[in-house]
């Protein structure tokens, strides 16, 4: 399998800096399927070409194949697949050019940040859909596409064309973007993956597709094929792409795993991480509850604000919560279901919040929060303001008392309705903070998300309330526990179906002016 990347940038040898591979050396990288080599067929001031050659070891490939791969005795050793670019080449590209794909280059950062003239060649590429599909996928990304079908046998033109193409791409494209385009679209064109599809494939897709996949006219086709047409993964990816938009600051952590039997209520911060441990039913395993679903709510209506940079809904939601906390003058805040600590990070950045605490049922989620917040490098004064602890919202816990405000951001919809009274009693009846902020999806707004096709925004949602249903729940809590509340929109307040997220700001009546 051969891939060439050329540039006419002057000096063209700067390509070596951007790829982090020296033009004067041949470098080898062992892969599970064989050996990848990077070398430079040409390296001059006017033109430089880097080549990635993946030599397949059929025996090693057979031994490392996924358990779901077909086993055709000799077929796994003797076939044409190793000699045509496929997901194996994409995997080698991801490994060999790992740093280049992130866009980092300390010695040439300005060059890495901008487009450069690039030519990419793939002499043999499986393309289920023919040359036209290659144009459809690469054309919208700024490439001039040359895709020529390879005949079955040049000596017998009457036999027709094979399903392989010779692909040539030309354009002024940022190198990191070019590498990520190839990483995603090579297996898409082949419409096959030659290794085990794990749950983190959604994270890989969203990372590599950052800034371009969400707006691609064929994002549905790309997502389905990249994820092997597995509906659970595909639906999660659709939700994640809709939610994140172009938010480059959001990290995509690996799935949170929880031991069977853990009881909890926790949030599903879509830009934070895939969340497990949300059910409060004893004995549920995370994979039973959430499967491979790492995404959550889509952002505002697709198609609005064309040409404008749109703020993802999860960012709007977090900003709205922080703004309310400032509005009510909270000095101590408890984030219930803190996940990997995105809201905690925002609160710690503001010295006005003297104490910030996060509770989650998942020990791994708390470890992720600790890592995200970099508590090991945090100044002592800032670290003294933070507390992380494990716990469940459906059981009375003395540690929940004494805070000015508590936040349940995208939490309540993960609780089975019969267990909601227990959550209400713990938060509003026992802990009784002066203020409680609750956000939850507005189910009426789901019609604006065509990819949901009538489904809930997340497979772990036990319900999703309309505006009227949310208002009734809020009123019932206020009457039972002595609070007053304001219900506010988060995101664009659609005149027909309301906002994508609804937020209630509860205040104890004796605290409300």
């Amino acid at each position: 399998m051969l891939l060439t990347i050329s540039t006419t940038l002057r000096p063209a040898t700067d390509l070596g800096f951007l790829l982090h591979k020296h033009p004067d050396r041949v470098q080898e990288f062992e892969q599970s399927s064989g050996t990848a080599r990077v070398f430079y067929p040409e390296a001059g001031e006017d033109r430089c070409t880097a080549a990635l050659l993946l030599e397949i070891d059929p025996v090693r490939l057979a031994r490392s194949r996924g358990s779901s791969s077909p086993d055709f005795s000799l077929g796994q050793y003797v076939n044409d697949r190793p000699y045509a670019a496929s997901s194996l080449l994409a995997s080698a590209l991801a490994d060999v050019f790992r740093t280049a794909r992130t866009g980092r280059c300390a010695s040439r950062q300005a060059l890495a940040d901008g487009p450069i003239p690039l030519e990419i060649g793939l002499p043999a590429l499986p393309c289920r859909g023919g040359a036209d599909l290659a144009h459809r996928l690469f054309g919208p990304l700024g490439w001039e596409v040359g895709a020529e079908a390879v005949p079955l046998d040049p000596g017998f033109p009457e036999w027709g064309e094979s399903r392989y193409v010779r692909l040539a791409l030309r354009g002024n494209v940022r190198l990191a973007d070019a590498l990520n385009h190839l990483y995603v679209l090579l297996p898409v064109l082949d419409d096959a993956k030659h290794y085990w599809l794990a749950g983190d494939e959604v994270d890989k897709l969203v990372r590599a597709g950052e800034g371009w996949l969400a707006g691609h006219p064929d994002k549905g086709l790309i997502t389905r094929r990249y994820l092997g047409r597995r509906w659970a993964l595909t639906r999660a990816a659709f939700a994640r792409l809709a939610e994140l938009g172009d938010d480059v600051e959001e990290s995509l952590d690996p799935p949170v795993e929880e031991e069977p039997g853990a009881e909890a209520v926790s949030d599903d911060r879509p830009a934070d991480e895939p969340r497990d441990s949300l059910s409060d039913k004893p004995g549920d395993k995370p994979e039973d509850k959430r499967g491979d679903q790492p995404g959550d709510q889509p952002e505002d209506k697709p198609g609005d604000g064309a040409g404008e940079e749109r703020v993802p809904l999860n960012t709007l939601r977090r900003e709205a919560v922080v703004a309310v906390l400032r509005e009510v003058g909270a000095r101590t805040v408890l984030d219930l279901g803190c996940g990997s600590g995105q809201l905690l990070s925002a609160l710690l950045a503001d010295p006005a919040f003297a104490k910030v605490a996060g509770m989650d049922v998942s020990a791994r989620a708390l470890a992720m929060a600790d890592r995200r917040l970099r508590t090991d490098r945090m100044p002592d004064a800032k670290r003294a303001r933070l507390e992380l602890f494990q716990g469940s919202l459906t059981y009375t816990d003395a540690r929940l008392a004494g805070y000015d405000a508590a936040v349940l951001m995208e939490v309540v919809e993960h609780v089975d309705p019969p267990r909601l009274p227990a959550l209400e009693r713990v938060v509003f009846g026992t802990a009784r903070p002066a203020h409680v902020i609750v956000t939850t999806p507005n189910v009426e707004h789901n019609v604006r998300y065509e990819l949901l096709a009538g489904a809930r925004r997340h497979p772990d949602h036990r319900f999703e309330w309309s505006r009227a249903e949310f208002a009734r729940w809020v009123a019932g809590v206020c009457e039972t526990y002595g609070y007053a509340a304001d219900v506010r929109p988060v995101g664009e307040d659609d005149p027909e179906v309301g906002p994508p997220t609804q937020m209630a700001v509860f205040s104890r009546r004796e605290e409300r002016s």
Side-chain angles (χ1 to χ4, degrees):
M1 301 181 186
L2 179 65
L3 164 70
T4 60
I5 304 172
S6 305
T7 185
T8 54
L9 161 86
R10 286 183 58 87
T13 49
D14 278 355
L15 180 64
F17 289 100
L18 299 181
L19 290 174
H20 301 268
K21 301 293 179 287
H22 200 288
D24 292 339
R25 295 200 298 269
V26 176
Q27 295 178 259
E28 291 190 357
F29 304 85
E30 291 301 318
Q31 307 293 305
S32 61
S33 58
T35 302
R37 294 181 176 86
V38 177
F39 59 95
Y40 288 75
E42 56 181 339
E45 290 292 304
D46 297 323
R47 184 178 175 87
C48 184
T49 298
L52 171 62
L53 178 66
L54 177 61
E55 292 190 78
I56 295 296
D57 181 338
V59 175
R60 194 188 308 178
L61 179 63
R63 289 173 177 170
S64 63
R65 64 187 177 87
S67 60
S68 62
S69 301
D71 184 2
F72 302 118
S73 59
L74 292 178
Q76 55 184 310
Y77 295 97
V78 183
N79 59 69
D80 63 346
R81 277 199 175 278
Y83 308 104
S86 67
S87 60
L88 296 177
L89 181 62
S91 180
L93 178 150
D95 177 51
V96 172
F97 298 132
R98 182 183 298 113
T99 305
R101 287 179 59 220
T102 67
R104 297 198 306 270
C105 182
S107 58
R108 299 289 190 279
Q109 190 58 55
L111 194 61
D113 289 340
I116 62 173
L118 289 174
E119 298 176 17
I120 292 175
L122 288 153
L125 175 66
C127 191
R128 296 181 185 271
D132 289 344
L133 182 60
H135 284 273
R136 279 174 53 192
L137 297 187
F138 283 101
L141 301 176
W143 294 104
E144 177 186 334
V145 183
E148 177 186 354
V150 177
L152 284 171
D153 190 323
F156 299 90
E158 64 273 17
W159 288 4
E161 299 172 345
S162 70
R163 68 179 185 89
Y164 299 91
V165 299
R166 295 185 185 92
L167 183 66
L169 304 174
R170 294 178 178 83
N172 286 299
V173 179
R174 192 171 74 111
L175 179 63
D177 293 336
L179 294 173
N180 284 316
H181 295 166
L182 292 169
Y183 173 70
V184 172
L185 296 181
L186 290 184
V188 168
L189 289 170
D190 188 13
D191 197 13
K193 283 209 167 183
H194 306 283
Y195 54 82
W196 176 255
L197 276 171
D200 63 352
E201 290 297 309
V202 174
D203 288 347
K204 293 177 184 178
L205 174 63
V206 176
R207 285 192 185 97
E210 183 180 280
W212 62 271
L213 180 54
H216 196 289
D218 278 306
K219 62 179 177 289
L221 171 74
I222 294 170
T223 303
R224 286 190 295 273
R225 284 193 172 195
Y226 181 89
L227 296 172
R229 303 180 187 274
R230 296 191 181 183
W231 173 238
L233 295 177
T234 301
R235 187 178 183 277
F238 284 159
R240 177 74 71 84
L241 289 170
E243 170 70 26
L244 290 182
D246 294 330
D247 189 355
V248 299
E249 295 183 357
E250 305 299 350
S251 70
L252 301 174
D253 295 320
V256 177
E257 298 177 356
E258 189 54 69
E259 296 180 358
E263 287 206 341
V265 177
S266 183
D267 78 347
D268 61 334
R269 309 291 164 79
D272 270 355
E273 76 287 329
R275 295 301 312 280
D276 298 325
S277 65
L278 296 176
S279 172
D280 55 352
K281 296 190 296 183
D284 279 358
K285 294 182 180 181
E287 55 269 32
D288 294 333
K289 295 174 289 187
R290 302 283 303 256
D292 301 308
Q293 310 294 336
D296 188 36
Q297 303 177 24
E299 60 176 327
D300 296 332
K301 288 188 294 183
D304 286 354
E308 301 177 3
E309 183 177 354
R310 291 162 53 205
V311 180
L313 177 57
N314 67 292
T315 301
L316 294 174
R317 189 165 51 227
R318 184 174 64 253
E319 291 175 346
V321 168
V322 173
V324 169
L325 292 170
R326 291 177 180 142
E327 174 189 323
V328 300
R331 294 274 295 161
T332 58
V333 180
L334 174 60
D335 183 8
L336 298 169
C338 64
S340 66
Q342 192 176 50
L343 177 60
L344 297 175
S345 179
L347 296 175
L348 286 171
D350 188 342
F353 300 108
K355 182 179 179 182
V356 176
M359 186 188 82
D360 201 286
V361 70
S362 169
R364 184 173 179 187
L366 293 170
M368 290 162 60
D370 186 80
R371 185 173 68 248
R372 173 192 284 274
L373 298 170
R374 298 180 180 176
T375 58
D376 57 332
R377 306 180 205 172
M378 192 178 285
D380 292 342
K382 190 174 184 178
R383 183 66 184 87
R385 295 165 51 210
L386 173 67
E387 182 180 3
L388 297 173
F389 59 92
Q390 190 174 12
S392 168
L393 274 176
T394 55
Y395 295 97
T396 301
D397 191 330
R399 295 173 298 177
L400 306 186
Y403 290 90
D404 295 337
V407 178
L408 294 94
M409 191 159 70
E410 308 303 284
V411 170
V412 295
E413 63 272 13
H414 291 279
V415 182
D416 286 318
R419 300 301 300 275
L420 273 177
L423 179 148
E424 297 163 11
R425 184 171 57 254
V426 168
V427 176
F428 296 94
T430 304
R432 288 192 65 76
H435 305 279
V436 180
I437 302 170
V438 176
T439 74
T440 191
N442 167 25
V443 71
E444 297 170 77
H445 197 93
N446 289 2
V447 296
R448 299 300 188 222
Y449 307 128
E450 57 181 298
L451 292 176
L452 288 180
R456 291 174 182 165
R457 299 189 195 180
H458 193 283
D460 188 60
H461 287 183
R462 309 309 168 88
F463 59 85
E464 288 177 356
W465 278 324
S466 67
R467 287 170 289 175
E469 289 168 332
F470 183 52
R472 284 196 294 272
W473 178 78
V474 169
V477 169
C478 290
E479 181 178 357
T480 303
Y481 295 103
Y483 279 78
D486 296 324
V487 176
R488 308 178 185 184
V490 177
E492 180 185 0
D493 197 353
D494 188 293
E496 296 179 359
V497 297
T501 293
Q502 44 196 344
M503 175 171 66
V505 181
F506 294 87
S507 300
R508 280 203 320 253
R509 287 201 176 98
E510 62 267 31
E511 301 289 339
R512 191 176 174 89
S513 58

